[in-house]
Amino acid sequence: MFQYFPGNYMWSLSVMRCLASGGFQTLSRTLKEEVRFSSKEILTLDWASYPILRFSECPSEVTTSLISRPDKAPVGAGEPTALTIAHAVGNAIFHATGVRIRKTPFTAQQFKASQSS
């Protein structure tokens, strides 16, 4: 579920689509996306080698909720999701496991490294 306070808006369906797409893009960055380097070169050279959230990994249904604030100025709809989702996922991992991961992407390797620190 994605919930947002976009201020005053006119086209709720467009705002909800921006909210959902921004949320999935941020989840992808939080859980998978990373440009890999060696000591001499960039290893991630194309989309085939760049890890990204795939459609098959996304839920088939998404609930979005907008809270109307007509007294507030309109603000972006997709971009603000990037400010909170990684923190929410990190806090959920911490509350479930007691392990605080502080570097994205939140991979199994990051989890293991965070366990030992």
Side-chain angles (χ1 to χ4, degrees):
M1 172 183 227
F2 299 111
Q3 189 170 34
Y4 185 55
F5 304 87
N8 191 17
Y9 58 89
M10 292 174 46
W11 296 287
S12 61
L13 185 58
S14 295
V15 174
M16 289 190 289
R17 286 178 178 158
C18 285
L19 177 62
S21 62
F24 282 120
Q25 183 180 16
T26 302
L27 278 173
S28 184
R29 286 193 306 262
T30 301
L31 299 174
K32 292 190 148 205
E33 294 185 37
E34 180 178 32
V35 175
R36 294 186 180 103
F37 301 88
S38 73
S39 60
K40 297 181 182 187
E41 62 188 348
I42 298 172
L43 302 174
T44 309
L45 299 175
D46 54 28
W47 287 113
S49 63
Y50 185 75
I52 192 167
L53 196 65
R54 304 289 178 193
F55 285 121
S56 62
E57 298 171 302
C58 297
S60 59
E61 233 177 273
V62 178
T63 302
T64 56
S65 174
L66 301 177
I67 298 173
S68 180
R69 301 286 306 269
D71 56 316
K72 302 293 182 186
V75 294
E79 298 84 358
T81 58
L83 301 175
T84 58
I85 290 177
H87 303 294
V89 171
N91 284 335
I93 292 169
F94 175 73
H95 287 292
T97 66
V99 175
R100 178 73 69 191
I101 305 174
R102 299 193 183 274
K103 183 178 182 289
T104 59
F106 297 161
T107 61
Q109 294 84 4
Q110 287 291 355
F111 182 83
K112 290 173 187 171
S114 298
Q115 277 182 309
S116 61
S117 60

